[in-house]
Amino acid sequence: MNLAFEGVDLNLIFPELVLLGVAFVLLVLGLYRGDYAFNRVMLLSKIALGAVLVLVCVMPAEREIGFQGAFVSDSFSILMKALIISSALIVLMVSRKSLTSEDIAQYEYPILILFAVLGMMVMISANDLISLFMGLELQSLSLYVLTTLRRDDAKASEAGMKYFVLGALSTSLLLYGCSLIYGYTGTTNFDVIAHVLKGIHDVPLSIMVGLVFLMAGLVFKISAVPFHMWTPDVYEGSPISITTFLASAPKIAGFALITRVFISPFLHFVGQWQLMLGAIAIASMILGAFAALTQRNIKRLLAYSSIGNMGYALIGIVVGTEEGVTASTLYMLLYLIMIIGVFACLLNITRRSQETNNIQDLKGLVRFYPGTSFILSFLLFSMAGIPPLAGFLGKLYVFKAAVAANFYFLAIVGVLTSVVAAAYYLWIIKAILMDAPDLDRWAEHYRTYRREPAMTFVLLGTVAGLLWIFIFPNPIIRITNDAVASLFDM
């Protein structure tokens, strides 16, 4: 079936159209049935995400441009979309019980995730400043509402309000940057911007200022320093099922967008944005490592950990080479698996109304839940980058790319902050495996505990995935390398 019209190739956005149609149908179903529709909407959302994942994976790998240059489909967009859809699907699989126990089993939850994923897919395929903005805002508006889903909770409302206000500020910065770039180049299309800037040797002031504001708006989405302030508060204030989603898919989408923007239209000015992005990467690694050491709340600690991890991921983009971006893409893939696994373990513990907010709540966990404890410890060891686990492999490739491009300082800061960050991961592992448990706290919960098949599948899947990537890294490296090559082969 060919859905091409004059100037419009609907085949290019067929997965997005399917997702949009399903989201609207489920919205009508939810409005008609109210919260009684929750289970049905959850199930249909999972089926829809599974179907869209298949549609994305069978898209042609060749670079195709549609909608008068505003939308692009290539290997990079296909890989990133597949990661986002997979993470959203996993989040829905593991969060149903937790939503019920937290009293937020509302049909809006899966529908908002569908709209957020739709926005991320548009962001990833954006080849124009306007389509970039549309995707970014669709994602952001969905996430603002998602964080305030527990309407009667003051902390959740505060987190949502902070997220919205700071998000609106970042949007205004991004729009100002876009307007300056448009003012100089006379176009919003990435390919035309790249063509116009290619013939310029001295960087115009308006482009330089525009790049700074554009970068400010984009790095906010991955919570890199100095636009990280919202992350610990939003992670802490949101229910853990929602934090699981916030910590996974939006990070991948933000990373993909930053990669496409700086590698496609502004690659000619790599010398200018390298300095700025390098400073952001260094500041993120340092703050993420040291600020997390003082945290007692698990979600705040993981928020600072995510800030540090975004610093490591930015190293490959700063390098600006194909090898560097491939290393960063691989790092983000591994980070996605690890962070989803960690939050799935916490969800597994917190369901049935057993809140686990602080590290001391995990003391002696291994005595009651040995399976979950060992998987959580394995994932934390991997996040710490301790060899020979997959997290070590991700950091090794990123640092290797930095050294190969003579960015020694970035690699040194990365190694030193990794050592510091390992302390708080080991601190949690010690509490789980070695500390004495609070018997009164766990006794009643332990008797009523029943493992969910979907949760077991996800927990074992994350461990198996990390082991497989470490033992046989070549297939996944080849996939990421092919995906990144499509960005440089323009």
Side-chain angles (χ1 to χ4, degrees), residues 308-328:
N309 277 294
M310 290 307 107
Y312 301 126
L314 285 177
I315 289 177
I317 305 177
V318 173
V319 169
T321 61
E322 193 171 322
E323 183 191 358
V325 179
T326 302
S328 286

Side-chain angles (χ1 to χ4, degrees), residues 240-308:
I240 193 162
S241 47
I242 292 170
T243 313
T244 308
F245 183 67
L246 290 174
S248 52
K251 301 281 186 187
I252 295 288
F255 166 80
L257 186 59
I258 290 172
T259 306
R260 188 178 290 283
V261 167
F262 288 104
I263 297 300
S264 293
F266 299 108
L267 187 59
H268 183 62
F269 289 157
V270 64
Q272 279 68 43
W273 57 255
Q274 260 177 345
L275 291 173
M276 292 186 284
L277 209 57
I280 290 171
I282 289 170
S284 299
M285 288 186 285
I286 293 174
L287 185 127
F290 286 96
L293 285 174
T294 61
Q295 302 302 316
R296 298 292 178 273
N297 183 285
I298 296 172
K299 286 197 281 186
R300 289 187 74 85
L301 188 149
L302 289 174
Y304 282 109
S305 161
S306 79
I307 293 168

